[in-house]
Amino acid sequence: MSDRASNTEPAAASDSGTRSGHRIAVVGGDGIGPEVIAQGLRVIEAAGVSLETTDYDLGGKRYLGDGTVLPDAVLDEWRGFDAIYLGAVGTPDVPSGIIERGLLLKMRFALDLYINQRPFKTGSGGGEVGHDLAVHDFVVIRENTEGSYAGEGGFLRKGTAHEIATQGSVNTRRGVERCIRYAFELARSRRNHVTLVHKTNVLTFSGDLWQRTFDQVAAEYPDVNTAYNHVDAACIYFVQEPQRYDVIVTDNLFGDILTDLGGAVSGGIGLAASANLNPDRTGPSMFEPVHGSAPDIAGQDKANPIAAILSGAMMLRFLGEAEAADRIERACDACAHLTGSTTEIADAVMAKL
Ligand code: IPM
Ligand code: MN
């Protein structure tokens, strides 16, 4: 891991006249993560945005090496960065949960990245099932700090025949409301429509809180139209009728599952980008593709870098570089149908910038 303090580039004190770039903590991570992030950084540079990057060696490989997951000291350092750009973390030889909870979720919770924004475009690339070719875009706003991800629960009588495991879902009025409010604000900059996705017919406690909060926030946005879908029905609409969506707002676990489906119906998970946002900007936000580390194709220059490149574009937009973000997104749209190596696809995106 490189040390920010040893960076030879003086921050604000420079009088060389060159603009100091955005300060980005880079976690390539495991598997295909480093490959796709390297291409994302190349594309950002080619789009004319200068970044001052610091690499952090974290993930399953690092954990297997020296037991490090995410030290608090690193988290504290990150608070001084403008954003975090992350490839993928996780290796098959680390027991389930250690890296997920100890690195990714710790980061989301500690930095209060309460919005997970995942945009999708159907009808543009290849691979979509069963609907017409008109381009349609919609975005899932996934609550990112609560729900069944919060870690509530435990075992009783573990290892006995009477073992009990519980895994609760935490839904705070504040957490639900700020997420729903973000979705309504976003809808105002789009097509003025928000769909709540939940399972209120069965989850009568958390669903009730989500529905009531949704209705109360909706009343403050009379210009925004609303809809509600149960999550099982939403799975059908994602495949058969995504045109009904503009902004979807949902809880953490429903959002996790729905956004993999979103990737699958919009050209493949290799195209799906995401932003883990702290909209209040009390710390850095984190940008990562929806996909995982794909160890089966790691190191073979086979992974599609578009999801990572588009996540980089989301990062630039959040940092105020809308023009460069637009150019990268348009270039990626033009390359969404391409097959080829990681490098070839990134080269094609750069050629279209
Ligand atoms: C995602 C991933 C993570 C999640 C895992 C790796 C913890 O699947 O970002 O969607 O479940 O949030
Ligand atoms: Mn997921």
PDB file of all heavy atoms in Angstrom, residues 88-120:
ATOM      1  N   ALA A  88     -13.160  -5.028  -7.477  1.00  0.00           N
ATOM      2  CA  ALA A  88     -13.981  -6.106  -6.916  1.00  0.00           C
ATOM      3  C   ALA A  88     -13.158  -6.732  -5.809  1.00  0.00           C
ATOM      4  O   ALA A  88     -11.929  -6.805  -5.906  1.00  0.00           O
ATOM      5  CB  ALA A  88     -14.299  -7.155  -7.978  1.00  0.00           C
ATOM      6  N   VAL A  89     -13.816  -7.164  -4.740  1.00  0.00           N
ATOM      7  CA  VAL A  89     -13.081  -7.848  -3.674  1.00  0.00           C
ATOM      8  C   VAL A  89     -13.709  -9.202  -3.398  1.00  0.00           C
ATOM      9  O   VAL A  89     -14.913  -9.378  -3.506  1.00  0.00           O
ATOM     10  CB  VAL A  89     -13.016  -7.014  -2.376  1.00  0.00           C
ATOM     11  CG1 VAL A  89     -12.104  -5.804  -2.563  1.00  0.00           C
ATOM     12  CG2 VAL A  89     -14.395  -6.573  -1.905  1.00  0.00           C
ATOM     13  N   GLY A  90     -12.876 -10.161  -3.059  1.00  0.00           N
ATOM     14  CA  GLY A  90     -13.352 -11.498  -2.727  1.00  0.00           C
ATOM     15  C   GLY A  90     -12.601 -12.555  -3.513  1.00  0.00           C
ATOM     16  O   GLY A  90     -12.385 -12.418  -4.712  1.00  0.00           O
ATOM     17  N   THR A  91     -12.168 -13.573  -2.795  1.00  0.00           N
ATOM     18  CA  THR A  91     -11.508 -14.718  -3.420  1.00  0.00           C
ATOM     19  C   THR A  91     -12.188 -15.974  -2.886  1.00  0.00           C
ATOM     20  O   THR A  91     -12.633 -15.999  -1.747  1.00  0.00           O
ATOM     21  CB  THR A  91     -10.000 -14.760  -3.075  1.00  0.00           C
ATOM     22  OG1 THR A  91      -9.843 -14.392  -1.704  1.00  0.00           O
ATOM     23  CG2 THR A  91      -9.208 -13.801  -3.915  1.00  0.00           C
ATOM     24  N   PRO A  92     -12.239 -17.030  -3.711  1.00  0.00           N
ATOM     25  CA  PRO A  92     -12.970 -18.227  -3.294  1.00  0.00           C
ATOM     26  C   PRO A  92     -12.375 -18.894  -2.054  1.00  0.00           C
ATOM     27  O   PRO A  92     -13.095 -19.564  -1.321  1.00  0.00           O
ATOM     28  CB  PRO A  92     -12.854 -19.165  -4.505  1.00  0.00           C
ATOM     29  CG  PRO A  92     -12.123 -18.448  -5.562  1.00  0.00           C
ATOM     30  CD  PRO A  92     -11.687 -17.129  -5.058  1.00  0.00           C
ATOM     31  N   ASP A  93     -11.081 -18.691  -1.795  1.00  0.00           N
ATOM     32  CA  ASP A  93     -10.444 -19.390  -0.673  1.00  0.00           C
ATOM     33  C   ASP A  93     -10.579 -18.678   0.670  1.00  0.00           C
ATOM     34  O   ASP A  93     -10.064 -19.156   1.679  1.00  0.00           O
ATOM     35  CB  ASP A  93      -8.970 -19.711  -0.999  1.00  0.00           C
ATOM     36  CG  ASP A  93      -8.329 -18.689  -1.914  1.00  0.00           C
ATOM     37  OD1 ASP A  93      -8.986 -17.664  -2.202  1.00  0.00           O
ATOM     38  OD2 ASP A  93      -7.179 -18.900  -2.336  1.00  0.00           O
ATOM     39  N   VAL A  94     -11.272 -17.547   0.701  1.00  0.00           N
ATOM     40  CA  VAL A  94     -11.547 -16.884   1.983  1.00  0.00           C
ATOM     41  C   VAL A  94     -12.977 -17.222   2.378  1.00  0.00           C
ATOM     42  O   VAL A  94     -13.878 -17.120   1.553  1.00  0.00           O
ATOM     43  CB  VAL A  94     -11.374 -15.348   1.862  1.00  0.00           C
ATOM     44  CG1 VAL A  94     -11.770 -14.654   3.155  1.00  0.00           C
ATOM     45  CG2 VAL A  94      -9.946 -15.000   1.487  1.00  0.00           C
ATOM     46  N   PRO A  95     -13.193 -17.630   3.639  1.00  0.00           N
ATOM     47  CA  PRO A  95     -14.563 -17.981   4.049  1.00  0.00           C
ATOM     48  C   PRO A  95     -15.545 -16.832   3.801  1.00  0.00           C
ATOM     49  O   PRO A  95     -15.207 -15.667   3.966  1.00  0.00           O
ATOM     50  CB  PRO A  95     -14.414 -18.256   5.554  1.00  0.00           C
ATOM     51  CG  PRO A  95     -12.971 -18.542   5.774  1.00  0.00           C
ATOM     52  CD  PRO A  95     -12.207 -17.817   4.703  1.00  0.00           C
ATOM     53  N   SER A  96     -16.748 -17.197   3.405  1.00  0.00           N
ATOM     54  CA  SER A  96     -17.810 -16.255   3.081  1.00  0.00           C
ATOM     55  C   SER A  96     -18.029 -15.260   4.204  1.00  0.00           C
ATOM     56  O   SER A  96     -18.103 -15.647   5.377  1.00  0.00           O
ATOM     57  CB  SER A  96     -19.095 -17.065   2.860  1.00  0.00           C
ATOM     58  OG  SER A  96     -19.865 -16.472   1.880  1.00  0.00           O
ATOM     59  N   GLY A  97     -18.108 -13.987   3.863  1.00  0.00           N
ATOM     60  CA  GLY A  97     -18.487 -12.975   4.851  1.00  0.00           C
ATOM     61  C   GLY A  97     -17.343 -12.129   5.361  1.00  0.00           C
ATOM     62  O   GLY A  97     -17.547 -10.975   5.728  1.00  0.00           O
ATOM     63  N   ILE A  98     -16.129 -12.670   5.370  1.00  0.00           N
ATOM     64  CA  ILE A  98     -15.019 -11.933   5.977  1.00  0.00           C
ATOM     65  C   ILE A  98     -14.726 -10.652   5.196  1.00  0.00           C
ATOM     66  O   ILE A  98     -14.678  -9.556   5.752  1.00  0.00           O
ATOM     67  CB  ILE A  98     -13.760 -12.828   6.082  1.00  0.00           C
ATOM     68  CG1 ILE A  98     -14.034 -13.953   7.089  1.00  0.00           C
ATOM     69  CG2 ILE A  98     -12.538 -12.003   6.488  1.00  0.00           C
ATOM     70  CD1 ILE A  98     -12.878 -14.884   7.328  1.00  0.00           C
ATOM     71  N   ILE A  99     -14.546 -10.793   3.892  1.00  0.00           N
ATOM     72  CA  ILE A  99     -14.231  -9.633   3.066  1.00  0.00           C
ATOM     73  C   ILE A  99     -15.497  -8.807   2.808  1.00  0.00           C
ATOM     74  O   ILE A  99     -15.474  -7.570   2.854  1.00  0.00           O
ATOM     75  CB  ILE A  99     -13.599 -10.082   1.724  1.00  0.00           C
ATOM     76  CG1 ILE A  99     -12.318 -10.891   1.990  1.00  0.00           C
ATOM     77  CG2 ILE A  99     -13.304  -8.887   0.832  1.00  0.00           C
ATOM     78  CD1 ILE A  99     -11.241 -10.144   2.724  1.00  0.00           C
ATOM     79  N   GLU A 100     -16.612  -9.505   2.577  1.00  0.00           N
ATOM     80  CA  GLU A 100     -17.861  -8.793   2.298  1.00  0.00           C
ATOM     81  C   GLU A 100     -18.233  -7.881   3.465  1.00  0.00           C
ATOM     82  O   GLU A 100     -18.446  -6.684   3.298  1.00  0.00           O
ATOM     83  CB  GLU A 100     -18.995  -9.803   2.038  1.00  0.00           C
ATOM     84  CG  GLU A 100     -18.848 -10.608   0.756  1.00  0.00           C
ATOM     85  CD  GLU A 100     -17.971 -11.852   0.912  1.00  0.00           C
ATOM     86  OE1 GLU A 100     -17.244 -11.976   1.930  1.00  0.00           O
ATOM     87  OE2 GLU A 100     -18.013 -12.720   0.009  1.00  0.00           O
ATOM     88  N   ARG A 101     -18.286  -8.463   4.662  1.00  0.00           N
ATOM     89  CA  ARG A 101     -18.702  -7.668   5.816  1.00  0.00           C
ATOM     90  C   ARG A 101     -17.569  -6.765   6.302  1.00  0.00           C
ATOM     91  O   ARG A 101     -17.796  -5.616   6.660  1.00  0.00           O
ATOM     92  CB  ARG A 101     -19.148  -8.571   6.982  1.00  0.00           C
ATOM     93  CG  ARG A 101     -20.420  -9.345   6.732  1.00  0.00           C
ATOM     94  CD  ARG A 101     -21.214  -9.550   8.023  1.00  0.00           C
ATOM     95  NE  ARG A 101     -21.856  -8.328   8.433  1.00  0.00           N
ATOM     96  CZ  ARG A 101     -23.078  -7.941   8.018  1.00  0.00           C
ATOM     97  NH1 ARG A 101     -23.791  -8.702   7.243  1.00  0.00           N
ATOM     98  NH2 ARG A 101     -23.575  -6.796   8.412  1.00  0.00           N
ATOM     99  N   GLY A 102     -16.347  -7.313   6.306  1.00  0.00           N
ATOM    100  CA  GLY A 102     -15.231  -6.602   6.927  1.00  0.00           C
ATOM    101  C   GLY A 102     -14.658  -5.489   6.069  1.00  0.00           C
ATOM    102  O   GLY A 102     -14.038  -4.560   6.582  1.00  0.00           O
ATOM    103  N   LEU A 103     -14.865  -5.571   4.766  1.00  0.00           N
ATOM    104  CA  LEU A 103     -14.296  -4.547   3.878  1.00  0.00           C
ATOM    105  C   LEU A 103     -15.407  -3.730   3.217  1.00  0.00           C
ATOM    106  O   LEU A 103     -15.587  -2.551   3.486  1.00  0.00           O
ATOM    107  CB  LEU A 103     -13.404  -5.220   2.831  1.00  0.00           C
ATOM    108  CG  LEU A 103     -12.748  -4.356   1.754  1.00  0.00           C
ATOM    109  CD1 LEU A 103     -11.982  -3.197   2.352  1.00  0.00           C
ATOM    110  CD2 LEU A 103     -11.807  -5.195   0.898  1.00  0.00           C
ATOM    111  N   LEU A 104     -16.195  -4.390   2.384  1.00  0.00           N
ATOM    112  CA  LEU A 104     -17.189  -3.656   1.596  1.00  0.00           C
ATOM    113  C   LEU A 104     -18.280  -3.038   2.481  1.00  0.00           C
ATOM    114  O   LEU A 104     -18.577  -1.845   2.391  1.00  0.00           O
ATOM    115  CB  LEU A 104     -17.806  -4.618   0.573  1.00  0.00           C
ATOM    116  CG  LEU A 104     -18.328  -4.018  -0.704  1.00  0.00           C
ATOM    117  CD1 LEU A 104     -17.313  -3.124  -1.370  1.00  0.00           C
ATOM    118  CD2 LEU A 104     -18.748  -5.133  -1.657  1.00  0.00           C
ATOM    119  N   LEU A 105     -18.875  -3.856   3.333  1.00  0.00           N
ATOM    120  CA  LEU A 105     -19.964  -3.322   4.158  1.00  0.00           C
ATOM    121  C   LEU A 105     -19.426  -2.365   5.214  1.00  0.00           C
ATOM    122  O   LEU A 105     -20.046  -1.345   5.514  1.00  0.00           O
ATOM    123  CB  LEU A 105     -20.784  -4.452   4.797  1.00  0.00           C
ATOM    124  CG  LEU A 105     -21.455  -5.430   3.823  1.00  0.00           C
ATOM    125  CD1 LEU A 105     -22.445  -6.329   4.556  1.00  0.00           C
ATOM    126  CD2 LEU A 105     -22.147  -4.708   2.678  1.00  0.00           C
ATOM    127  N   LYS A 106     -18.250  -2.667   5.750  1.00  0.00           N
ATOM    128  CA  LYS A 106     -17.654  -1.748   6.733  1.00  0.00           C
ATOM    129  C   LYS A 106     -17.467  -0.362   6.108  1.00  0.00           C
ATOM    130  O   LYS A 106     -17.748   0.660   6.726  1.00  0.00           O
ATOM    131  CB  LYS A 106     -16.316  -2.306   7.225  1.00  0.00           C
ATOM    132  CG  LYS A 106     -15.644  -1.456   8.283  1.00  0.00           C
ATOM    133  CD  LYS A 106     -14.385  -2.113   8.836  1.00  0.00           C
ATOM    134  CE  LYS A 106     -13.677  -1.194   9.837  1.00  0.00           C
ATOM    135  NZ  LYS A 106     -12.453  -1.813  10.385  1.00  0.00           N
ATOM    136  N   MET A 107     -17.000  -0.372   4.855  1.00  0.00           N
ATOM    137  CA  MET A 107     -16.782   0.889   4.153  1.00  0.00           C
ATOM    138  C   MET A 107     -18.109   1.615   3.926  1.00  0.00           C
ATOM    139  O   MET A 107     -18.243   2.815   4.170  1.00  0.00           O
ATOM    140  CB  MET A 107     -16.136   0.536   2.804  1.00  0.00           C
ATOM    141  CG  MET A 107     -15.666   1.676   1.966  1.00  0.00           C
ATOM    142  SD  MET A 107     -15.188   1.126   0.293  1.00  0.00           S
ATOM    143  CE  MET A 107     -14.112  -0.232   0.618  1.00  0.00           C
ATOM    144  N   ARG A 108     -19.123   0.867   3.463  1.00  0.00           N
ATOM    145  CA  ARG A 108     -20.421   1.489   3.200  1.00  0.00           C
ATOM    146  C   ARG A 108     -21.018   2.080   4.470  1.00  0.00           C
ATOM    147  O   ARG A 108     -21.586   3.173   4.446  1.00  0.00           O
ATOM    148  CB  ARG A 108     -21.390   0.451   2.604  1.00  0.00           C
ATOM    149  CG  ARG A 108     -21.061   0.058   1.169  1.00  0.00           C
ATOM    150  CD  ARG A 108     -21.974  -1.079   0.697  1.00  0.00           C
ATOM    151  NE  ARG A 108     -21.663  -1.493  -0.679  1.00  0.00           N
ATOM    152  CZ  ARG A 108     -22.192  -2.569  -1.266  1.00  0.00           C
ATOM    153  NH1 ARG A 108     -23.045  -3.340  -0.602  1.00  0.00           N
ATOM    154  NH2 ARG A 108     -21.875  -2.871  -2.509  1.00  0.00           N
ATOM    155  N   PHE A 109     -20.884   1.349   5.576  1.00  0.00           N
ATOM    156  CA  PHE A 109     -21.495   1.812   6.824  1.00  0.00           C
ATOM    157  C   PHE A 109     -20.678   2.973   7.411  1.00  0.00           C
ATOM    158  O   PHE A 109     -21.232   4.009   7.778  1.00  0.00           O
ATOM    159  CB  PHE A 109     -21.582   0.673   7.849  1.00  0.00           C
ATOM    160  CG  PHE A 109     -22.459  -0.501   7.421  1.00  0.00           C
ATOM    161  CD1 PHE A 109     -22.460  -1.684   8.150  1.00  0.00           C
ATOM    162  CD2 PHE A 109     -23.282  -0.427   6.297  1.00  0.00           C
ATOM    163  CE1 PHE A 109     -23.269  -2.763   7.774  1.00  0.00           C
ATOM    164  CE2 PHE A 109     -24.087  -1.501   5.912  1.00  0.00           C
ATOM    165  CZ  PHE A 109     -24.072  -2.679   6.657  1.00  0.00           C
ATOM    166  N   ALA A 110     -19.357   2.782   7.508  1.00  0.00           N
ATOM    167  CA  ALA A 110     -18.527   3.779   8.201  1.00  0.00           C
ATOM    168  C   ALA A 110     -18.516   5.111   7.453  1.00  0.00           C
ATOM    169  O   ALA A 110     -18.460   6.177   8.075  1.00  0.00           O
ATOM    170  CB  ALA A 110     -17.107   3.260   8.364  1.00  0.00           C
ATOM    171  N   LEU A 111     -18.542   5.069   6.131  1.00  0.00           N
ATOM    172  CA  LEU A 111     -18.517   6.313   5.360  1.00  0.00           C
ATOM    173  C   LEU A 111     -19.929   6.811   5.039  1.00  0.00           C
ATOM    174  O   LEU A 111     -20.104   7.771   4.311  1.00  0.00           O
ATOM    175  CB  LEU A 111     -17.692   6.118   4.074  1.00  0.00           C
ATOM    176  CG  LEU A 111     -16.225   5.712   4.284  1.00  0.00           C
ATOM    177  CD1 LEU A 111     -15.541   5.424   2.950  1.00  0.00           C
ATOM    178  CD2 LEU A 111     -15.462   6.811   5.037  1.00  0.00           C
ATOM    179  N   ASP A 112     -20.918   6.124   5.606  1.00  0.00           N
ATOM    180  CA  ASP A 112     -22.335   6.487   5.432  1.00  0.00           C
ATOM    181  C   ASP A 112     -22.713   6.611   3.947  1.00  0.00           C
ATOM    182  O   ASP A 112     -23.324   7.591   3.518  1.00  0.00           O
ATOM    183  CB  ASP A 112     -22.666   7.779   6.189  1.00  0.00           C
ATOM    184  CG  ASP A 112     -24.144   7.823   6.609  1.00  0.00           C
ATOM    185  OD1 ASP A 112     -24.814   6.765   6.583  1.00  0.00           O
ATOM    186  OD2 ASP A 112     -24.624   8.916   6.962  1.00  0.00           O
ATOM    187  N   LEU A 113     -22.340   5.598   3.193  1.00  0.00           N
ATOM    188  CA  LEU A 113     -22.650   5.567   1.755  1.00  0.00           C
ATOM    189  C   LEU A 113     -24.069   5.018   1.610  1.00  0.00           C
ATOM    190  O   LEU A 113     -24.277   3.893   1.184  1.00  0.00           O
ATOM    191  CB  LEU A 113     -21.634   4.682   1.016  1.00  0.00           C
ATOM    192  CG  LEU A 113     -20.157   5.000   1.310  1.00  0.00           C
ATOM    193  CD1 LEU A 113     -19.230   4.038   0.574  1.00  0.00           C
ATOM    194  CD2 LEU A 113     -19.831   6.449   0.916  1.00  0.00           C
ATOM    195  N   TYR A 114     -25.041   5.838   1.970  1.00  0.00           N
ATOM    196  CA  TYR A 114     -26.391   5.292   2.153  1.00  0.00           C
ATOM    197  C   TYR A 114     -27.186   5.112   0.871  1.00  0.00           C
ATOM    198  O   TYR A 114     -28.260   4.519   0.890  1.00  0.00           O
ATOM    199  CB  TYR A 114     -27.174   6.081   3.199  1.00  0.00           C
ATOM    200  CG  TYR A 114     -27.473   7.536   2.892  1.00  0.00           C
ATOM    201  CD1 TYR A 114     -28.615   7.909   2.203  1.00  0.00           C
ATOM    202  CD2 TYR A 114     -26.637   8.552   3.357  1.00  0.00           C
ATOM    203  CE1 TYR A 114     -28.924   9.239   1.980  1.00  0.00           C
ATOM    204  CE2 TYR A 114     -26.929   9.886   3.128  1.00  0.00           C
ATOM    205  CZ  TYR A 114     -28.072  10.223   2.437  1.00  0.00           C
ATOM    206  OH  TYR A 114     -28.375  11.546   2.216  1.00  0.00           O
ATOM    207  N   ILE A 115     -26.656   5.594  -0.221  1.00  0.00           N
ATOM    208  CA  ILE A 115     -27.316   5.372  -1.515  1.00  0.00           C
ATOM    209  C   ILE A 115     -26.457   4.468  -2.387  1.00  0.00           C
ATOM    210  O   ILE A 115     -25.277   4.744  -2.597  1.00  0.00           O
ATOM    211  CB  ILE A 115     -27.531   6.709  -2.258  1.00  0.00           C
ATOM    212  CG1 ILE A 115     -28.488   7.622  -1.487  1.00  0.00           C
ATOM    213  CG2 ILE A 115     -28.022   6.469  -3.690  1.00  0.00           C
ATOM    214  CD1 ILE A 115     -29.880   7.066  -1.297  1.00  0.00           C
ATOM    215  N   ASN A 116     -27.057   3.403  -2.896  1.00  0.00           N
ATOM    216  CA  ASN A 116     -26.377   2.625  -3.932  1.00  0.00           C
ATOM    217  C   ASN A 116     -27.160   2.830  -5.217  1.00  0.00           C
ATOM    218  O   ASN A 116     -28.270   2.339  -5.377  1.00  0.00           O
ATOM    219  CB  ASN A 116     -26.313   1.148  -3.550  1.00  0.00           C
ATOM    220  CG  ASN A 116     -25.285   0.398  -4.378  1.00  0.00           C
ATOM    221  OD1 ASN A 116     -25.105   0.692  -5.564  1.00  0.00           O
ATOM    222  ND2 ASN A 116     -24.618  -0.568  -3.779  1.00  0.00           N
ATOM    223  N   GLN A 117     -26.564   3.614  -6.108  1.00  0.00           N
ATOM    224  CA  GLN A 117     -27.244   4.019  -7.351  1.00  0.00           C
ATOM    225  C   GLN A 117     -26.753   3.156  -8.502  1.00  0.00           C
ATOM    226  O   GLN A 117     -25.559   3.116  -8.785  1.00  0.00           O
ATOM    227  CB  GLN A 117     -26.948   5.501  -7.607  1.00  0.00           C
ATOM    228  CG  GLN A 117     -27.648   6.065  -8.826  1.00  0.00           C
ATOM    229  CD  GLN A 117     -27.730   7.590  -8.764  1.00  0.00           C
ATOM    230  OE1 GLN A 117     -27.707   8.182  -7.694  1.00  0.00           O
ATOM    231  NE2 GLN A 117     -27.830   8.221  -9.921  1.00  0.00           N
ATOM    232  N   ARG A 118     -27.694   2.463  -9.154  1.00  0.00           N
ATOM    233  CA  ARG A 118     -27.318   1.526 -10.213  1.00  0.00           C
ATOM    234  C   ARG A 118     -28.194   1.751 -11.446  1.00  0.00           C
ATOM    235  O   ARG A 118     -29.350   1.339 -11.489  1.00  0.00           O
ATOM    236  CB  ARG A 118     -27.444   0.092  -9.671  1.00  0.00           C
ATOM    237  CG  ARG A 118     -26.481  -0.144  -8.504  1.00  0.00           C
ATOM    238  CD  ARG A 118     -26.453  -1.551  -7.964  1.00  0.00           C
ATOM    239  NE  ARG A 118     -25.195  -1.776  -7.251  1.00  0.00           N
ATOM    240  CZ  ARG A 118     -24.852  -2.903  -6.648  1.00  0.00           C
ATOM    241  NH1 ARG A 118     -25.664  -3.942  -6.646  1.00  0.00           N
ATOM    242  NH2 ARG A 118     -23.682  -3.019  -6.048  1.00  0.00           N
ATOM    243  N   PRO A 119     -27.639   2.410 -12.456  1.00  0.00           N
ATOM    244  CA  PRO A 119     -28.407   2.723 -13.664  1.00  0.00           C
ATOM    245  C   PRO A 119     -28.358   1.589 -14.691  1.00  0.00           C
ATOM    246  O   PRO A 119     -27.357   0.873 -14.778  1.00  0.00           O
ATOM    247  CB  PRO A 119     -27.668   3.950 -14.212  1.00  0.00           C
ATOM    248  CG  PRO A 119     -26.264   3.817 -13.722  1.00  0.00           C
ATOM    249  CD  PRO A 119     -26.284   2.994 -12.463  1.00  0.00           C
ATOM    250  N   PHE A 120     -29.424   1.464 -15.441  1.00  0.00           N
ATOM    251  CA  PHE A 120     -29.507   0.410 -16.469  1.00  0.00           C
ATOM    252  C   PHE A 120     -30.085   0.971 -17.760  1.00  0.00           C
ATOM    253  O   PHE A 120     -30.907   1.875 -17.730  1.00  0.00           O
ATOM    254  CB  PHE A 120     -30.396  -0.743 -15.972  1.00  0.00           C
ATOM    255  CG  PHE A 120     -29.869  -1.382 -14.724  1.00  0.00           C
ATOM    256  CD1 PHE A 120     -30.406  -1.067 -13.480  1.00  0.00           C
ATOM    257  CD2 PHE A 120     -28.794  -2.259 -14.776  1.00  0.00           C
ATOM    258  CE1 PHE A 120     -29.897  -1.622 -12.317  1.00  0.00           C
ATOM    259  CE2 PHE A 120     -28.273  -2.817 -13.620  1.00  0.00           C
ATOM    260  CZ  PHE A 120     -28.831  -2.499 -12.387  1.00  0.00           C
TER     261      PHE A 120
END
